[in-house]
Amino acid sequence: MPRSSAVLIPLLLAGCAATAPLPDPAGPVMANGNDCAVIAAVAREHYKFDTADNLPPPLWLDDEGSGWAPRCDWSHYGLRFPAIHDPARTPASSQPLRWVQFRQPRYDGQGALIDSAIMHGPLAGNGIQCRVRSGFAGWTVSDCRVTWVN
C-alpha cells in the first residue's frame, strides 16, 4: 500500500467517527422545518382535533419571547383552527377563555419533545409534554405526560 493511502485511511475513519452532539431537549430552541408536522401530530393524535365532533379552540403558538412564528398550512395536516389567539390581548369578560397552546418543539436523538396546554375556561385546563417520533408514517406521538392541571 502506498504511504499516502496509509495516512489517509485513519484520517477518513476519524472523520466518519466524529459526530456532532445531539441537541439537549432542555437546551435552546432552534428553528426546524418539522415544527408544523410535530404540532399537527399532537393536535391530531393527543387532542383528536381531526374529528368532526371535536373542533379545536383558537390556536396559540407561544414563542416565549423568542420570535418563533411558524407559518403552517393546517389544512395540509387535516386540521382547521377557528382563530389564532393573541396572548397580548386580554379577552373581554364576556369571551370564554379558550385556547390550545403549543410551544416550539425541541429536537434530540429520539425525535422531538413539545409542550402544549389547553384551556376550556378560566379554571379548566391542563398542560402536557409529548414525545413525538419521526418514522415511515411521518411524525407520530409516542407518549404524553400531564405537566399541570387547573
Side-chain angles (χ1 to χ4, degrees):
M1 174 183 321
R3 184 169 199 261
S4 60
S5 296
V7 172
L8 285 176
I9 291 173
L11 289 174
L12 290 172
L13 291 176
C16 292
T19 59
L22 296 173
D24 176 3
V29 291
M30 301 181 312
N32 187 302
N34 293 312
D35 291 353
C36 296
V38 169
I39 292 167
V42 175
R44 284 190 326 265
E45 296 174 36
H46 177 77
Y47 292 117
K48 308 289 187 210
F49 288 153
D50 61 343
T51 62
D53 59 340
N54 190 23
L55 298 175
L59 174 64
W60 175 11
L61 296 174
D62 184 1
D63 71 352
E64 299 178 286
S66 70
W68 172 72
R71 305 286 184 250
C72 304
D73 177 6
W74 298 117
S75 64
H76 173 77
Y77 300 102
L79 299 167
R80 186 176 52 112
F81 292 97
I84 303 296
H85 176 72
D86 180 1
R89 186 180 63 82
T90 306
S93 60
S94 61
Q95 288 182 303
L97 180 64
R98 295 187 64 238
W99 43 257
V100 61
Q101 172 196 67
F102 293 95
R103 293 192 173 146
Q104 186 174 15
R106 298 177 312 274
Y107 299 90
D108 61 18
Q110 298 179 45
L113 284 173
I114 185 167
D115 294 315
S116 178
I118 189 165
M119 289 298 291
H120 302 286
L123 297 173
N126 69 289
I128 60 167
Q129 183 178 74
C130 293
R131 167 61 69 185
V132 186
R133 299 181 194 277
S134 179
F136 293 112
W139 288 91
T140 57
V141 176
S142 63
D143 61 272
C144 295
R145 67 178 181 86
V146 174
T147 56
W148 61 267
V149 176
N150 190 8

